[in-house]
Every structure is written in C-alpha cells, then in structure tokens.
Amino acid sequence: MESSQDPDKDLVQRTQDGDLSAFNHLVVKYRNRVLGVATRMLGDRVEAEDVAQDVFVKAYRGLRRFQGEALFSTWLYRITANSCLNQRRRRKLEAQTSLVVPGAEPNADNSGSNPHTLLEDKELKLLIERAVQELPEEQRIVLILRDVEGLTYESIAHALGLELGTVRSRLHRARMALQSRLKNVISLSA
Amino acid sequence: MEMNCQEIRELFSDYLDGRLKPAEATSVEAHLVACHDCRLEFGNLKKTVSLLGSLDEIEASPDFLGQVENTIVKGRNFIRLWAWLFEPVRVKIPLEITALVLVSILAFHLYTTPEFSPHQSVLKPAEEVAAPKVLPPAESPKSASRPERSFRADKAETLPSATGEIARFKEAVPAKEPASEMKKASVEPQMQEISAEDIALAAQRVKTLLEEIGGRLINEEGIPDSGRLLTVELPVSGRDEFLSRIKDDIGSRARRELRKEGAFAPGGRDQKNVAAESKPAPAKDEPKVTLQLRILPKK
C-alpha cells in the first residue's frame, strides 16, 4: 500500500494526536499546490484562495477519520478537486472564466498573431494557462493533476473516484485538445 | 498487425507516460520512424506536456496559513462539543435516542397520572380553598336557614370518611392543627334524635351551644322528611351538659340514643360540609367525642 511510504505520515499522526503545529507544516508544504489546482480549475485567484483555505480546514476536520488508505497528498487533492467542482457548480460557470495570474495579464495581441516574433516564456505560459481554462472541467482536472502536479494515474483515479481507464482516456483527450489549441504557439516557441 | 496513423496517435499519451505494453510501444516507435506527420504530432504533444510541467507555481498570500489556523481554532470548540455529544456516533446516537424516548414516556406518564396532573392536584384544591371566602361565616344567622356549600380546609382531616377529593386536598394543603389535637377519644359517633318545630332555629341553637361548650360543627346535611343531620365534636366533659341544654333549650321530648355506627358515611344528594370555629378553645389534650344529631320536625 502506498500509504506505508507516505512522507507525511508523521505529520499526519501528530495532527491526529491534536498537534496543530504539525498540521501547519502540512499547510505550508501543500498550500501552493492546492492553490494552483484551485486557481486553474476556477480561473479566479481570489476565489481560489478562499477555496484553498477551505480545503485545509476540511482536511483538518476530516483528518481524524483519515486511515491512511492513500497518500495524504492524494487525499488532499481529492478534497481540492471536490471543492473546486462544487464551487464551479455553485457559481454555474462553464469554462468561460479568464485566468488571472498574479502580476500579469495575458496579452491577446501576442498570442501567435505575429508569427515572426518568438514568444517570451512568460507569455507562452499565459497562453497555456488560458488554453487549459478552455478545456472541459472533467478533462482539465485530470490534466492538471497529471501534467502540472505530477500525480500518478492511480493517484488521480483515487483522488477523483474514477476508473483507471477513464483517467487514461480523459488525459489523452485533454492533451490532444490542448495540443491542437497550442499548435501555432508551440511551433513558434520551438 | 500494422496500425494506421489514427490508431497510433490514440496511443501517444500512454506512450509518453510509458504505460504501453512492450509490443504496442514497439509499434509506435516503428511508426514514428516511418511517418513524418505522426512524428511531428508526437513532438508537439511532448512539447505541450513539457510546458504544462513548467508552469509557475502559484504562491499563496502571506496570511494564508494564519487564516487557515484562525478558522480551525474557531471551529475547534464546536468540533469538541460535537464530538462530546455525538461521537462515537454508533454508540451515542442510539443511546441518546433511547434516553429521549424513555424521558418522553416518563413525562407522558406523569402528565396523565392524576397524582401528578396539574389539573387535578393543584387547581382543584385551589378552587376548594377559595370557596369559603365567598360564603358567609358559619356563625352567621343566615347560615342556619339556608343550605351551605363550604369546606374548611383545617377541619377536613376530622371527617371519619374522606372522599378521594378530600384525600388529595389533604395532600396538597398541610393540616394547620398540631398533632396533639388530632387525638380523639371517640371515633364512633353517637346518634341523638331531636324533635323541633323550627328545624333551622334548632340547628342554629345547636351551633350556639356548641360554641359555648367548646365544640365544633363538623358536618351538616339535609335528611328526608325535611330534617337535618348535624355531626358535631365536643369535649367529653361537656357532652352531658351539651345534651342537657339541648333538651332544655330546644324542648325535645324525646332524646334517645339510637345506635352506634362504626363509620360515618355522608352521601346525601344535598350534602353540605360545614365547619365552625370553636371560640373557647378546649384543653388541647382533653379527649373529644363525636355526636350526630338528627333534628326532625315535631309531629
């Protein structure tokens, strides 16, 4: 079982014993990853931060029932994914939000309209973020967890409650769709 | 079996992640060597995935941890209370439901039991206690000439045969008399019969004599033939004097001791419960005797 190799096992155990400082270490360790998933899923930085904080509060309250059947990180991503999907349902947005990354706004004029100019790395990343936002949410969450967060197929399947084959097919479709959207951009950045 | 470009591209994602079987991976590699378009397509896919992995980490605000901690600390007390009340759920919830049902049953039982019902144990005696306030005093001349409906709480315990209502009343209202006054020399009332022309006047005279001797009227009720039955209590030492004066004052020609009864059983249709205060208080330890006087119209 993968939980036997959980690097967070000790911190989780101390938190379950009532040590709030141990949980703070877990928050510090995972806050940016949880926030990253939430931001890319919701497309709103402020809203994502609220959701991310709520994810950790839920995790703390539910940690007493956490039996270690999966890695703590996988369990945390599961809470994150569910919270984001619930938040999206709550506000009834359907992949029409614009991603706002702190310190920068995407520049539409540079999104491949000038084929003779090599895209700056920062601009390229903004275009990728926007392309990710345009994916259907069930493909997007799989793509983010796999290609951005680096989770295994098995962890993704556990976090999202999906069959392994479903994860593979959704990931494939997400990658192909993203590649299709970014075809011109990628060739320019090469 | 050789696959076409579309079939090969369906395997790109798994091939990139190293999740293909060796035979499938070999087929893909062979196809990529031979097919320029598929090689370009796979290159773009690989580049896309690589770019996704290089996206910048989104940093949380500086007060992120503080906000989480504050929320947790605020909710801690509630969580502790919840856990104390309901956890473990499988144990406490059934116990609490059982306790709730038992308490409800007990409350319903108490409410429907007469001894505990507020309608029967509190209100009724209160009405009975209040009743004498609106009636004229026992020594009033009018009281002898018309029916009375009164009940003196402090005399109730002297009735030889108490009804259920009186018994409850005695529970609700403590007796005012000290225990020493409860002593009675005679518990079996003697029946005396008196004839008189004016029943009401005779009854009033009995009451007056009773007061003078230091006795008291326990009960007064009507009896057939327009007569009246008085139950009185008086000191043993005053018994003969009382009977003698009744004979003299009322002019009874016949005073006979008719019978002795083991129990007094009031129950006439127009029963009246009357008690009178005895002004000259007898010695507390002196024994008392109970008499029943039947006043009948003179024929």
Side-chain angles (χ1 to χ4, degrees):
Chain A
M1 181 176 283
E2 63 179 347
S3 61
S4 60
Q5 302 147 0
D6 194 339
D8 302 315
K9 190 175 182 180
D10 180 55
L11 289 173
V12 168
Q13 183 61 53
R14 285 170 51 196
T15 304
Q16 288 175 328
D17 292 340
D19 184 356
L20 184 56
S21 66
F23 186 73
N24 287 344
H25 282 95
L26 291 170
V27 175
V28 170
K29 181 176 179 180
Y30 288 105
R31 61 185 173 187
N32 289 349
R33 297 190 211 177
V34 169
L35 182 61
V37 174
T39 303
R40 291 181 174 109
M41 283 301 296
L42 298 173
D44 185 311
R45 176 70 171 74
V46 176
E47 188 180 23
E49 182 128 349
D50 290 341
V51 169
Q53 289 177 5
D54 191 47
V55 165
F56 283 105
V57 173
K58 286 177 182 173
Y60 180 82
R61 290 173 180 170
L63 205 54
R64 286 185 300 129
R65 294 186 295 274
F66 177 68
Q67 300 294 325
E69 63 276 6
L71 293 174
F72 170 77
S73 58
T74 302
W75 182 71
L76 192 63
Y77 278 122
R78 181 179 190 135
I79 298 174
T80 306
N82 287 334
S83 296
C84 291
L85 295 175
N86 288 337
Q87 182 68 14
R88 283 183 61 86
R89 290 189 193 104
R90 207 171 296 138
R91 65 178 186 172
K92 298 178 179 178
L93 285 178
E94 292 296 335
Q96 293 179 348
T97 54
S98 61
L99 182 69
V100 180
V101 175
E105 288 289 334
N107 187 349
D109 293 338
N110 292 336
S111 60
S113 60
N114 184 356
H116 302 292
T117 306
L118 285 179
L119 291 172
E120 297 278 340
D121 183 60
K122 193 175 180 179
E123 293 169 336
L124 179 61
K125 288 177 180 175
L126 286 173
L127 292 173
I128 294 171
E129 297 275 18
R130 178 174 288 179
V132 170
Q133 288 292 304
E134 292 171 354
L135 293 172
E137 70 177 24
E138 72 272 9
Q139 294 180 19
R140 192 189 328 163
I141 185 65
V142 175
L143 185 82
I144 291 169
L145 292 180
R146 173 60 192 163
D147 292 335
V148 180
E149 300 300 326
L151 268 65
T152 64
Y153 282 48
E154 287 76 13
S155 293
I156 295 170
H158 188 273
L160 301 180
L162 299 174
E163 296 293 329
L164 209 56
T166 307
V167 173
R168 292 171 69 174
S169 63
R170 287 186 184 180
L171 181 62
H172 173 73
R173 288 201 299 273
R175 282 172 170 173
M176 299 307 286
L178 195 66
Q179 178 207 344
S180 175
R181 285 183 171 88
L182 296 174
K183 190 176 289 182
N184 293 334
V185 177
I186 290 171
S187 61
L188 285 172
S189 66
Chain B
M1 187 178 68
E2 195 168 327
M3 291 183 281
N4 59 32
C5 292
Q6 184 59 37
E7 292 169 329
I8 288 293
R9 291 179 185 183
E10 289 294 320
L11 300 175
F12 275 176
S13 184
D14 284 342
Y15 177 71
L16 196 62
D17 289 330
R19 299 187 67 88
L20 287 180
K21 296 174 183 174
E24 291 175 324
T26 303
S27 297
V28 172
E29 288 166 359
H31 187 91
L32 289 177
V33 171
C35 180
H36 176 265
D37 288 345
C38 285
R39 191 165 58 247
L40 188 62
E41 188 80 4
F42 180 73
N44 284 340
L45 178 64
K46 197 173 178 180
K47 177 73 174 176
T48 301
V49 172
S50 173
L51 286 171
L52 284 169
S54 68
L55 289 177
D56 294 333
E57 189 174 74
I58 298 176
E59 291 199 7
S61 59
D63 63 340
F64 186 94
L65 177 61
Q67 299 225 12
V68 171
E69 193 171 7
N70 283 342
T71 308
I72 288 174
V73 170
K74 282 180 184 174
R76 251 182 170 182
N77 292 336
F78 175 77
I79 292 171
R80 284 177 180 168
L81 178 63
W82 177 271
W84 181 75
L85 286 174
F86 301 117
E87 292 183 2
V89 174
R90 288 182 182 177
V91 175
K92 286 192 177 177
I93 293 294
L95 281 177
E96 287 162 352
I97 290 175
T98 304
L100 186 63
V101 169
L102 288 176
V103 169
S104 301
I105 291 172
L106 179 62
F108 180 77
H109 175 72
L110 290 178
Y111 185 78
T112 55
T113 301
E115 285 77 5
F116 296 98
S117 174
H119 298 293
Q120 298 185 37
S121 65
V122 176
L123 295 179
K124 201 162 190 176
E127 292 167 357
E128 291 171 354
V129 168
K133 295 180 180 176
V134 297
L135 293 175
E139 58 270 22
S140 169
K142 294 180 180 177
S143 64
S145 59
R146 61 185 170 86
E148 296 178 5
R149 285 189 177 273
S150 63
F151 184 83
R152 294 298 299 259
D154 54 346
K155 308 298 184 207
E157 69 278 6
T158 63
L159 290 176
S161 169
T163 63
E165 289 183 356
I166 295 174
R168 285 198 295 277
F169 181 84
K170 287 163 72 175
E171 290 176 7
V173 182
K176 294 178 181 177
E177 294 181 357
S180 61
E181 293 188 16
M182 299 292 287
K183 290 196 296 182
K184 303 291 183 288
S186 172
V187 294
E188 296 180 354
Q190 297 173 336
M191 181 71 75
Q192 306 292 327
E193 188 173 280
I194 302 168
S195 296
E197 292 180 355
D198 188 340
I199 301 297
L201 189 62
Q204 181 57 39
R205 184 55 190 157
V206 168
K207 294 174 188 173
T208 304
L209 286 173
L210 203 57
E211 289 180 12
E212 292 175 2
I213 289 176
R216 60 171 184 162
L217 177 65
I218 294 176
N219 188 43
E220 180 178 357
E221 61 183 332
I223 59 176
D225 299 325
S226 303
R228 191 166 294 184
L229 179 64
L230 304 179
T231 303
V232 301
E233 183 187 71
L234 66 165
V236 171
S237 60
R239 177 179 179 276
D240 293 336
E241 182 190 359
F242 176 71
L243 293 175
S244 173
R245 289 181 65 178
I246 285 178
K247 177 187 176 184
D248 295 337
D249 291 350
I250 300 178
S252 172
R253 291 177 303 182
R255 188 179 72 237
R256 303 187 303 273
E257 188 170 301
L258 297 177
R259 59 186 171 90
K260 291 186 177 180
E261 296 178 352
F264 173 63
R269 284 186 292 126
D270 56 347
Q271 176 186 349
K272 293 120 183 126
N273 295 319
V274 180
E277 294 283 356
S278 51
K279 290 179 181 175
K284 288 185 176 180
D285 294 330
E286 183 175 357
K288 294 180 180 178
V289 64
T290 302
L291 297 177
Q292 286 189 322
L293 301 177
R294 180 180 291 175
I295 305 175
L296 296 171
K298 186 180 293 183
K299 293 179 180 176

